[in-house]
Amino acid sequence: VVLPLHHVGGFAIHARGFLSGSEVVSITGKWDAAEFAARCSAHSISLTSLVPTQLFDLVSLNLPSPPSLRAVIIGGGALAPDLRERALALGWPVFASYGMTEAASQIATQSLDAMEVLPLWQVTTDENNILTIRGEALAKGYASRAANGAWSWQPIDSLAGLITRDRVRLWRHGTRSYIEFLGRDASFVKILGELVNVDALQRRCPARAVVVPLPDERRETRLVLAVEKSADAAASMLEAINNGAAPFEKVDAVIEIDAIPRTNIGKVDMARLKTLLQQR
């Protein structure tokens, strides 16, 4: 365990360990990629969960996978194809996953080249490809605390299911269902009247660059590339992202910043990043 226990990705490891009777080894404190790899080897760790940023750190240090590892489940964000290929070349057995807190961790996990929906879930989409999930592991509702300290309860209708904020593509092969994550609904923006998937553009970026949609009076939205100053040449990144993109999808500016703001589990803090860029 190298993920915070107050996030479902870390807590679920303890749950799986309990159910399987497996020993669980925890690493607390600041994330250290080299220490993580060494501890995995020392304890013959077979399974772990990481976020893409942590995998990027392992690959950047050119660390080979400990031979005991059977699977590394990657969650908390999209796994870029080039990062996956670099990790596989170093022997890391990485598998992308799709999940959320309300689902008590995973909804679908990569088998080979696709993510198969786990048998406990019933999944459907609407005309906009927004995903709805139903199943016994679905949360019963949300407990919220107001500023005055009072608690309230908002139930989730188990029959109606949870309407997520995610757009996906679903398909079936025989009795199995598969899912392709297209992006958060909030990641789809209108530019010159066209719907643009920012997450798809982001998958072309290295870990130290982020495509950010900002409001624009004429175009509705404009796309800029936030790049850490320590990253590779920004011009080559911009060329790689815009190569083959439709005119309305192209990123039109690069802004260098000291560091991409992130949450405590390594996700990009988009609200803080937008504020930072707008100040610039």
Side-chain angles (χ1 to χ4, degrees):
V1 184
V2 287
L3 299 175
L5 297 187
H6 59 271
H7 284 277
V8 70
F11 184 82
I13 297 176
H14 284 275
R16 296 185 194 111
F18 173 79
L19 290 170
S20 63
S22 303
E23 178 188 0
V24 175
V25 175
S26 297
I27 301 178
T28 57
K30 187 176 181 181
W31 159 254
D32 185 303
E35 180 194 4
F36 166 76
R39 291 281 289 274
C40 284
S41 294
H43 293 275
S44 298
I45 298 298
S46 58
L47 299 165
T48 191
S49 294
L50 301 174
V51 296
T53 304
Q54 293 170 319
L55 182 64
F56 176 83
D57 291 343
L58 293 166
V59 170
S60 295
L61 292 176
N62 211 33
L63 293 170
S65 173
S68 58
L69 271 177
R70 293 191 288 116
V72 180
I73 305 300
I74 306 297
L79 176 58
D82 62 326
L83 178 57
R84 178 174 181 265
E85 292 302 319
R86 291 165 63 196
L88 291 172
L90 288 168
W92 293 94
V94 292
F95 296 88
S97 70
Y98 168 70
M100 59 184 67
T101 302
E102 295 92 336
S105 192
Q106 294 173 54
I107 295 169
T109 307
Q110 186 176 38
S111 51
L112 293 176
D113 292 324
M115 289 193 290
E116 183 176 351
V117 178
L118 302 179
L120 73 156
W121 295 111
Q122 295 84 55
V123 292
T124 56
T125 53
D126 63 11
E127 65 277 7
N128 295 314
N129 294 320
I130 300 295
L131 175 69
T132 294
I133 61 170
R134 301 173 183 84
E136 291 185 15
L138 183 61
K140 298 297 186 291
Y142 300 92
S144 303
R145 190 176 187 181
N148 63 5
W151 287 90
S152 63
W153 175 254
Q154 179 187 349
I156 295 174
D157 187 334
S158 60
L159 294 179
L162 176 69
I163 301 174
T164 73
R165 295 174 293 166
D166 299 329
R167 296 188 188 221
V168 304
R169 183 171 73 92
L170 296 176
W171 72 96
R172 294 184 63 84
H173 182 74
T175 60
R176 296 181 172 183
S177 297
Y178 295 88
I179 190 170
E180 178 185 3
F181 178 70
L182 301 178
R184 283 289 175 100
D185 190 41
S187 73
F188 285 79
V189 297
K190 280 290 187 73
I191 301 178
L192 298 173
E194 300 285 350
L195 198 62
V196 175
N197 184 353
V198 179
D199 281 350
L201 297 175
Q202 181 59 43
R203 285 193 280 271
R204 304 180 191 177
C205 294
R208 293 191 178 126
V210 179
V211 177
V212 184
L214 295 177
D216 185 87
E217 289 185 6
R218 179 177 178 271
R219 298 165 58 89
E220 296 180 80
T221 307
R222 67 188 293 249
L223 301 177
V224 301
L225 186 67
V227 179
E228 291 186 351
K229 291 179 180 178
S230 59
D232 299 330
S236 61
M237 290 185 195
L238 187 62
E239 183 180 354
I241 295 168
N242 286 340
N243 185 30
F248 55 84
E249 291 180 318
K250 291 189 176 181
V251 176
D252 59 19
V254 176
I255 301 177
E256 289 191 346
I257 58 177
D258 292 331
I260 302 293
R262 297 184 182 275
T263 66
N264 60 359
I265 59 168
K267 290 185 179 181
V268 174
D269 190 331
M270 189 59 76
R272 285 173 55 202
L273 180 56
K274 285 183 178 180
T275 299
L276 182 63
L277 295 181
Q278 287 169 333
Q279 290 172 346
R280 293 282 300 273

